[in-house]
């Protein structure tokens, strides 16, 4: 229980972002496991953030993450998020459809997540349309 408390305190103080902003509503709507939702969304949230970011420091950070993924899983850094998504699927992590997350769940989650407190820590603001596209890519 203490480790869970510490983990929660660390995450609450570090801020979350699009992955957790969507995972909470999606899990509540569908009953899918939180960790599986987070893992499925992660490469697509990284790609979505990379598409929308304009801050020079954040672009550098995303580039650094791309290199880490490429060094770990092979491939070119510019394809790192696709590489991560492919690796996740090959390792057995299902897409949102296989987790029982319907189009209606995704639409509801996009609307509620856009205004959630978790989204405040995301590197860029993402509107419901961007969040819907992110989830479509994670199907």
């Amino acid at each position: 229980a203490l480790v869970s408390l510490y983990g929660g305190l660390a995450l609450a103080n570090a801020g979350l972002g699009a992955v957790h902003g969507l995972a909470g509503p999606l899990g509540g709507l569908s009953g899918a496991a939180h960790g599986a939702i987070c893992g499925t969304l992660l490469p697509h949230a990284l790609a979505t953030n990379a598409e929308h970011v304009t801050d020079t420091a954040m672009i550098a950070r995303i580039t650094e993450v791309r290199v880490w993924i490429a060094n770990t899983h092979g491939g070119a850094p510019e394809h790192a998020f696709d590489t991560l998504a492919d690796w996740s699927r090959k390792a057995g992590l299902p897409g949102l459809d296989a987790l029982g997350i319907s189009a209606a769940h995704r639409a509801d989650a996009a609307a509620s997540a856009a205004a959630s407190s978790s989204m405040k820590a995301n590197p860029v603001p993402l509107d419901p349309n961007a969040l819907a596209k992110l989830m479509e890519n994670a199907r």
Side-chain angles (χ1 to χ4, degrees):
L2 187 58
V3 172
S4 293
L5 172 65
Y6 289 161
L9 290 170
L11 288 173
N13 287 300
L16 299 173
V19 171
H20 279 89
L22 289 167
L26 288 173
L29 292 164
S30 69
H34 182 76
I37 297 169
C38 290
T40 298
L41 292 175
L42 179 61
H44 307 288
L46 289 167
T48 300
N49 283 328
E51 287 175 26
H52 291 85
V53 72
T54 57
D55 176 72
T56 305
M58 190 53 63
I59 291 169
R61 184 68 169 157
I62 289 173
T63 299
E64 188 176 20
V65 171
R66 287 179 189 272
V67 170
W68 292 339
I69 294 168
N71 287 343
T72 303
H73 297 288
E78 61 269 16
H79 302 295
F81 303 141
D82 290 333
T83 299
L84 182 59
D86 291 342
W87 175 83
S88 297
R89 292 286 172 99
K90 288 176 185 171
L93 189 61
L96 296 180
D97 287 344
L99 290 171
I101 297 172
S102 68
H105 295 144
R106 293 191 305 272
D108 289 347
S112 62
S116 75
S117 62
S118 292
M119 292 299 295
K120 291 177 185 170
N122 201 58
V124 293
L126 297 174
D127 64 22
N129 291 329
L131 294 171
K133 181 180 175 192
L134 183 165
M135 289 184 286
E136 184 65 25
N137 292 336
R139 291 184 54 220

